[in-house]
Amino acid sequence: MQRCFIIPIYNHGETIETTVQGLTGFGYPIFIVDDGSDEATKAILERLAAKEPLVRLHSHSVNKGKGGAVMTGISAASEQGFTHALQVDADGQHDLSDIKPMWALSKKYPESLISGQPQYDESIPRGRRIGRHITHVWVWIETLSFEIRDTMCGFRVYPLAPCVDLMARKRLGERMDFDIEIMVRLYWQGLSIRFYPTRVIYPEDGSSHFQGFRDNVRISWLHTRLFFGMLLRAPMLLFWRKGKGDG
């Protein structure tokens, strides 16, 4: 296993240095993808890349979305010979103390996607909680299985080869729909998904780039497409389910 980190970032200059400091102890390269951030954040990233040897900075001239930034990171890491990448958000939501056990789980199951399974406290907005539950139900329908426990957590270890293969064959959503789509489609390819419980917080002074109406429309359209994709794959999915004794 050749390991690295991927951090997509858009205007989270106030938290990125703390996030990077939490990763450097592992000694793995850190691919930061600047998704068209403002000048203040760009300056922070350039300074960070100059002083921290592990940081490899990639930049988009315009904002493409979180998914677009993660895909840039996946492609760059794969091209440089890495086999596994742990995606971490730049905004301080993720509990970095869970990185070590997630890497251990990835080492034990190198062909699996390892995802955080969020354990939320009262800081999560009510609307986000409801929206996540609705997506969970749709994903259970789209996979004909209860195996996937969460598709919206951006704290996960990707085996890069199947991701690169999927990205070459299918145009994936580039914004908040990405995390859902890539996990469902990798599951459809036969990739196993494993989960690790992790604490996720919504900082009081934090900023979210979730665009309520637009992202909800994107996610709704995604679930429509995935539903019809499930219908085409239903015999195969039911065969897998029977073989695994799922449900």
mmCIF file of all heavy atoms in Angstrom, residues 72-106:
data_model
loop_
_atom_site.group_PDB
_atom_site.id
_atom_site.type_symbol
_atom_site.label_atom_id
_atom_site.label_comp_id
_atom_site.label_asym_id
_atom_site.label_seq_id
_atom_site.Cartn_x
_atom_site.Cartn_y
_atom_site.Cartn_z
ATOM 1 N N THR A 72 -9.852 15.420 -8.776
ATOM 2 C CA THR A 72 -8.526 15.914 -9.147
ATOM 3 C C THR A 72 -7.469 15.298 -8.242
ATOM 4 O O THR A 72 -6.402 14.865 -8.703
ATOM 5 C CB THR A 72 -8.481 17.451 -9.046
ATOM 6 O OG1 THR A 72 -9.323 18.009 -10.063
ATOM 7 C CG2 THR A 72 -7.057 17.976 -9.248
ATOM 8 N N GLY A 73 -7.763 15.230 -6.946
ATOM 9 C CA GLY A 73 -6.838 14.619 -6.003
ATOM 10 C C GLY A 73 -6.628 13.144 -6.266
ATOM 11 O O GLY A 73 -5.492 12.642 -6.213
ATOM 12 N N ILE A 74 -7.706 12.425 -6.554
ATOM 13 C CA ILE A 74 -7.608 10.991 -6.845
ATOM 14 C C ILE A 74 -6.740 10.753 -8.078
ATOM 15 O O ILE A 74 -5.859 9.878 -8.096
ATOM 16 C CB ILE A 74 -9.011 10.384 -7.038
ATOM 17 C CG1 ILE A 74 -9.730 10.279 -5.679
ATOM 18 C CG2 ILE A 74 -8.930 9.004 -7.706
ATOM 19 C CD1 ILE A 74 -11.178 9.835 -5.781
ATOM 20 N N SER A 75 -6.981 11.527 -9.129
ATOM 21 C CA SER A 75 -6.212 11.366 -10.364
ATOM 22 C C SER A 75 -4.737 11.672 -10.134
ATOM 23 O O SER A 75 -3.855 10.924 -10.580
ATOM 24 C CB SER A 75 -6.776 12.280 -11.453
ATOM 25 O OG SER A 75 -8.098 11.920 -11.797
ATOM 26 N N ALA A 76 -4.455 12.780 -9.433
ATOM 27 C CA ALA A 76 -3.063 13.165 -9.178
ATOM 28 C C ALA A 76 -2.347 12.116 -8.337
ATOM 29 O O ALA A 76 -1.195 11.747 -8.619
ATOM 30 C CB ALA A 76 -3.018 14.520 -8.495
ATOM 31 N N ALA A 77 -3.017 11.628 -7.301
ATOM 32 C CA ALA A 77 -2.395 10.630 -6.426
ATOM 33 C C ALA A 77 -2.129 9.331 -7.177
ATOM 34 O O ALA A 77 -1.063 8.716 -7.031
ATOM 35 C CB ALA A 77 -3.285 10.375 -5.219
ATOM 36 N N SER A 78 -3.083 8.903 -7.985
ATOM 37 C CA SER A 78 -2.907 7.668 -8.744
ATOM 38 C C SER A 78 -1.766 7.799 -9.747
ATOM 39 O O SER A 78 -0.952 6.881 -9.902
ATOM 40 C CB SER A 78 -4.214 7.321 -9.470
ATOM 41 O OG SER A 78 -4.060 6.142 -10.251
ATOM 42 N N GLU A 79 -1.692 8.938 -10.425
ATOM 43 C CA GLU A 79 -0.635 9.164 -11.409
ATOM 44 C C GLU A 79 0.746 9.135 -10.762
ATOM 45 O O GLU A 79 1.734 8.786 -11.413
ATOM 46 C CB GLU A 79 -0.855 10.501 -12.109
ATOM 47 C CG GLU A 79 -2.035 10.501 -13.076
ATOM 48 C CD GLU A 79 -2.393 11.890 -13.567
ATOM 49 O OE1 GLU A 79 -1.680 12.855 -13.180
ATOM 50 O OE2 GLU A 79 -3.369 12.022 -14.336
ATOM 51 N N GLN A 80 0.813 9.487 -9.485
ATOM 52 C CA GLN A 80 2.095 9.504 -8.779
ATOM 53 C C GLN A 80 2.380 8.201 -8.044
ATOM 54 O O GLN A 80 3.308 8.124 -7.238
ATOM 55 C CB GLN A 80 2.145 10.698 -7.830
ATOM 56 C CG GLN A 80 2.135 12.036 -8.571
ATOM 57 C CD GLN A 80 2.281 13.228 -7.654
ATOM 58 O OE1 GLN A 80 2.994 13.167 -6.648
ATOM 59 N NE2 GLN A 80 1.614 14.333 -7.977
ATOM 60 N N GLY A 81 1.571 7.172 -8.320
ATOM 61 C CA GLY A 81 1.875 5.837 -7.828
ATOM 62 C C GLY A 81 1.254 5.445 -6.507
ATOM 63 O O GLY A 81 1.563 4.373 -5.967
ATOM 64 N N PHE A 82 0.353 6.275 -5.985
ATOM 65 C CA PHE A 82 -0.288 5.921 -4.724
ATOM 66 C C PHE A 82 -1.455 4.962 -4.971
ATOM 67 O O PHE A 82 -2.112 5.025 -6.005
ATOM 68 C CB PHE A 82 -0.752 7.180 -3.994
ATOM 69 C CG PHE A 82 0.396 8.041 -3.548
ATOM 70 C CD1 PHE A 82 0.847 9.081 -4.348
ATOM 71 C CD2 PHE A 82 1.055 7.769 -2.362
ATOM 72 C CE1 PHE A 82 1.936 9.850 -3.961
ATOM 73 C CE2 PHE A 82 2.134 8.532 -1.957
ATOM 74 C CZ PHE A 82 2.581 9.571 -2.761
ATOM 75 N N THR A 83 -1.689 4.080 -4.008
ATOM 76 C CA THR A 83 -2.736 3.067 -4.156
ATOM 77 C C THR A 83 -3.967 3.362 -3.308
ATOM 78 O O THR A 83 -5.061 2.906 -3.628
ATOM 79 C CB THR A 83 -2.210 1.679 -3.771
ATOM 80 O OG1 THR A 83 -1.805 1.694 -2.387
ATOM 81 C CG2 THR A 83 -1.040 1.271 -4.653
ATOM 82 N N HIS A 84 -3.791 4.107 -2.221
ATOM 83 C CA HIS A 84 -4.899 4.404 -1.304
ATOM 84 C C HIS A 84 -4.799 5.850 -0.828
ATOM 85 O O HIS A 84 -3.706 6.344 -0.545
ATOM 86 C CB HIS A 84 -4.880 3.469 -0.093
ATOM 87 C CG HIS A 84 -5.182 2.046 -0.433
ATOM 88 N ND1 HIS A 84 -4.256 1.226 -1.049
ATOM 89 C CD2 HIS A 84 -6.298 1.294 -0.257
ATOM 90 C CE1 HIS A 84 -4.805 0.030 -1.238
ATOM 91 N NE2 HIS A 84 -6.033 0.048 -0.764
ATOM 92 N N ALA A 85 -5.956 6.503 -0.743
ATOM 93 C CA ALA A 85 -5.997 7.891 -0.294
ATOM 94 C C ALA A 85 -7.100 8.068 0.736
ATOM 95 O O ALA A 85 -8.224 7.592 0.527
ATOM 96 C CB ALA A 85 -6.234 8.834 -1.469
ATOM 97 N N LEU A 86 -6.777 8.734 1.826
ATOM 98 C CA LEU A 86 -7.772 9.039 2.853
ATOM 99 C C LEU A 86 -8.217 10.480 2.655
ATOM 100 O O LEU A 86 -7.425 11.401 2.752
ATOM 101 C CB LEU A 86 -7.186 8.830 4.251
ATOM 102 C CG LEU A 86 -8.203 8.771 5.402
ATOM 103 C CD1 LEU A 86 -7.659 7.967 6.575
ATOM 104 C CD2 LEU A 86 -8.596 10.167 5.881
ATOM 105 N N GLN A 87 -9.490 10.639 2.346
ATOM 106 C CA GLN A 87 -10.072 11.965 2.128
ATOM 107 C C GLN A 87 -10.463 12.575 3.469
ATOM 108 O O GLN A 87 -11.136 11.948 4.285
ATOM 109 C CB GLN A 87 -11.301 11.860 1.226
ATOM 110 C CG GLN A 87 -12.051 13.171 1.032
ATOM 111 C CD GLN A 87 -13.383 12.970 0.328
ATOM 112 O OE1 GLN A 87 -13.573 12.001 -0.407
ATOM 113 N NE2 GLN A 87 -14.320 13.871 0.571
ATOM 114 N N VAL A 88 -10.055 13.816 3.670
ATOM 115 C CA VAL A 88 -10.387 14.559 4.884
ATOM 116 C C VAL A 88 -10.914 15.926 4.474
ATOM 117 O O VAL A 88 -10.345 16.578 3.598
ATOM 118 C CB VAL A 88 -9.147 14.761 5.785
ATOM 119 C CG1 VAL A 88 -9.525 15.497 7.065
ATOM 120 C CG2 VAL A 88 -8.491 13.433 6.114
ATOM 121 N N ASP A 89 -11.993 16.371 5.093
ATOM 122 C CA ASP A 89 -12.497 17.711 4.827
ATOM 123 C C ASP A 89 -11.604 18.745 5.504
ATOM 124 O O ASP A 89 -10.977 18.463 6.538
ATOM 125 C CB ASP A 89 -13.940 17.863 5.313
ATOM 126 C CG ASP A 89 -14.929 17.156 4.395
ATOM 127 O OD1 ASP A 89 -14.501 16.669 3.329
ATOM 128 O OD2 ASP A 89 -16.123 17.096 4.746
ATOM 129 N N ALA A 90 -11.582 19.956 4.952
ATOM 130 C CA ALA A 90 -10.700 21.008 5.455
ATOM 131 C C ALA A 90 -11.300 21.831 6.585
ATOM 132 O O ALA A 90 -10.616 22.681 7.159
ATOM 133 C CB ALA A 90 -10.325 21.940 4.299
ATOM 134 N N ASP A 91 -12.571 21.598 6.907
ATOM 135 C CA ASP A 91 -13.273 22.513 7.802
ATOM 136 C C ASP A 91 -13.276 22.110 9.272
ATOM 137 O O ASP A 91 -13.945 22.730 10.094
ATOM 138 C CB ASP A 91 -14.717 22.699 7.335
ATOM 139 C CG ASP A 91 -15.489 21.383 7.274
ATOM 140 O OD1 ASP A 91 -14.937 20.345 7.676
ATOM 141 O OD2 ASP A 91 -16.640 21.401 6.797
ATOM 142 N N GLY A 92 -12.550 21.059 9.629
ATOM 143 C CA GLY A 92 -12.454 20.668 11.032
ATOM 144 C C GLY A 92 -13.592 19.815 11.554
ATOM 145 O O GLY A 92 -13.691 19.580 12.761
ATOM 146 N N GLN A 93 -14.462 19.307 10.677
ATOM 147 C CA GLN A 93 -15.585 18.471 11.122
ATOM 148 C C GLN A 93 -15.138 17.080 11.560
ATOM 149 O O GLN A 93 -15.781 16.467 12.400
ATOM 150 C CB GLN A 93 -16.608 18.317 9.990
ATOM 151 C CG GLN A 93 -17.526 19.495 9.786
ATOM 152 C CD GLN A 93 -18.679 19.148 8.860
ATOM 153 O OE1 GLN A 93 -18.643 18.151 8.139
ATOM 154 N NE2 GLN A 93 -19.705 19.946 8.890
ATOM 155 N N HIS A 94 -14.073 16.574 10.979
ATOM 156 C CA HIS A 94 -13.709 15.181 11.196
ATOM 157 C C HIS A 94 -12.782 14.992 12.388
ATOM 158 O O HIS A 94 -11.919 15.840 12.666
ATOM 159 C CB HIS A 94 -13.064 14.613 9.928
ATOM 160 C CG HIS A 94 -13.986 14.602 8.750
ATOM 161 N ND1 HIS A 94 -13.565 14.781 7.459
ATOM 162 C CD2 HIS A 94 -15.336 14.461 8.684
ATOM 163 C CE1 HIS A 94 -14.597 14.735 6.642
ATOM 164 N NE2 HIS A 94 -15.683 14.540 7.369
ATOM 165 N N ASP A 95 -12.954 13.875 13.070
ATOM 166 C CA ASP A 95 -12.145 13.533 14.237
ATOM 167 C C ASP A 95 -10.871 12.834 13.758
ATOM 168 O O ASP A 95 -10.888 11.646 13.433
ATOM 169 C CB ASP A 95 -12.950 12.620 15.166
ATOM 170 C CG ASP A 95 -12.249 12.343 16.479
ATOM 171 O OD1 ASP A 95 -11.048 12.686 16.591
ATOM 172 O OD2 ASP A 95 -12.873 11.775 17.391
ATOM 173 N N LEU A 96 -9.771 13.565 13.719
ATOM 174 C CA LEU A 96 -8.535 13.036 13.153
ATOM 175 C C LEU A 96 -7.942 11.903 13.983
ATOM 176 O O LEU A 96 -7.079 11.168 13.497
ATOM 177 C CB LEU A 96 -7.514 14.161 12.978
ATOM 178 C CG LEU A 96 -7.960 15.334 12.089
ATOM 179 C CD1 LEU A 96 -6.787 16.297 11.867
ATOM 180 C CD2 LEU A 96 -8.530 14.853 10.759
ATOM 181 N N SER A 97 -8.405 11.724 15.212
ATOM 182 C CA SER A 97 -7.915 10.601 16.021
ATOM 183 C C SER A 97 -8.393 9.266 15.461
ATOM 184 O O SER A 97 -7.867 8.213 15.839
ATOM 185 C CB SER A 97 -8.363 10.752 17.479
ATOM 186 O OG SER A 97 -9.776 10.632 17.595
ATOM 187 N N ASP A 98 -9.376 9.293 14.563
ATOM 188 C CA ASP A 98 -9.872 8.055 13.962
ATOM 189 C C ASP A 98 -9.099 7.659 12.703
ATOM 190 O O ASP A 98 -9.381 6.619 12.105
ATOM 191 C CB ASP A 98 -11.357 8.197 13.600
ATOM 192 C CG ASP A 98 -12.252 8.185 14.830
ATOM 193 O OD1 ASP A 98 -11.866 7.558 15.829
ATOM 194 O OD2 ASP A 98 -13.333 8.805 14.791
ATOM 195 N N ILE A 99 -8.133 8.470 12.298
ATOM 196 C CA ILE A 99 -7.373 8.149 11.091
ATOM 197 C C ILE A 99 -6.581 6.856 11.252
ATOM 198 O O ILE A 99 -6.565 6.003 10.354
ATOM 199 C CB ILE A 99 -6.435 9.317 10.719
ATOM 200 C CG1 ILE A 99 -7.257 10.492 10.200
ATOM 201 C CG2 ILE A 99 -5.404 8.881 9.680
ATOM 202 C CD1 ILE A 99 -6.439 11.727 9.887
ATOM 203 N N LYS A 100 -5.928 6.700 12.388
ATOM 204 C CA LYS A 100 -5.100 5.505 12.599
ATOM 205 C C LYS A 100 -5.917 4.219 12.485
ATOM 206 O O LYS A 100 -5.520 3.300 11.745
ATOM 207 C CB LYS A 100 -4.389 5.583 13.949
ATOM 208 C CG LYS A 100 -3.393 4.457 14.176
ATOM 209 C CD LYS A 100 -2.613 4.662 15.480
ATOM 210 C CE LYS A 100 -1.608 3.540 15.684
ATOM 211 N NZ LYS A 100 -0.829 3.750 16.953
ATOM 212 N N PRO A 101 -7.065 4.088 13.174
ATOM 213 C CA PRO A 101 -7.843 2.851 13.006
ATOM 214 C C PRO A 101 -8.432 2.696 11.611
ATOM 215 O O PRO A 101 -8.618 1.558 11.143
ATOM 216 C CB PRO A 101 -8.942 2.965 14.069
ATOM 217 C CG PRO A 101 -8.964 4.395 14.479
ATOM 218 C CD PRO A 101 -7.585 4.909 14.290
ATOM 219 N N MET A 102 -8.715 3.797 10.925
ATOM 220 C CA MET A 102 -9.226 3.674 9.560
ATOM 221 C C MET A 102 -8.141 3.166 8.618
ATOM 222 O O MET A 102 -8.404 2.336 7.738
ATOM 223 C CB MET A 102 -9.798 5.010 9.092
ATOM 224 C CG MET A 102 -11.124 5.356 9.769
ATOM 225 S SD MET A 102 -11.818 6.953 9.273
ATOM 226 C CE MET A 102 -12.315 6.602 7.590
ATOM 227 N N TRP A 103 -6.904 3.645 8.792
ATOM 228 C CA TRP A 103 -5.799 3.109 7.994
ATOM 229 C C TRP A 103 -5.591 1.628 8.313
ATOM 230 O O TRP A 103 -5.297 0.827 7.417
ATOM 231 C CB TRP A 103 -4.514 3.879 8.269
ATOM 232 C CG TRP A 103 -4.285 5.131 7.491
ATOM 233 C CD1 TRP A 103 -3.905 6.354 7.982
ATOM 234 C CD2 TRP A 103 -4.373 5.312 6.068
ATOM 235 N NE1 TRP A 103 -3.771 7.266 6.971
ATOM 236 C CE2 TRP A 103 -4.043 6.650 5.777
ATOM 237 C CE3 TRP A 103 -4.705 4.459 5.014
ATOM 238 C CZ2 TRP A 103 -4.029 7.171 4.485
ATOM 239 C CZ3 TRP A 103 -4.708 4.972 3.717
ATOM 240 C CH2 TRP A 103 -4.370 6.304 3.458
ATOM 241 N N ALA A 104 -5.718 1.253 9.582
ATOM 242 C CA ALA A 104 -5.550 -0.154 9.966
ATOM 243 C C ALA A 104 -6.605 -1.028 9.307
ATOM 244 O O ALA A 104 -6.313 -2.139 8.838
ATOM 245 C CB ALA A 104 -5.617 -0.288 11.490
ATOM 246 N N LEU A 105 -7.842 -0.524 9.264
ATOM 247 C CA LEU A 105 -8.914 -1.279 8.621
ATOM 248 C C LEU A 105 -8.652 -1.392 7.125
ATOM 249 O O LEU A 105 -8.910 -2.437 6.510
ATOM 250 C CB LEU A 105 -10.250 -0.571 8.883
ATOM 251 C CG LEU A 105 -11.536 -1.352 8.639
ATOM 252 C CD1 LEU A 105 -11.574 -2.627 9.472
ATOM 253 C CD2 LEU A 105 -12.755 -0.483 8.961
ATOM 254 N N SER A 106 -8.122 -0.324 6.532
ATOM 255 C CA SER A 106 -7.791 -0.360 5.112
ATOM 256 C C SER A 106 -6.666 -1.356 4.833
ATOM 257 O O SER A 106 -6.669 -2.037 3.800
ATOM 258 C CB SER A 106 -7.380 1.041 4.641
ATOM 259 O OG SER A 106 -7.051 1.042 3.276
#
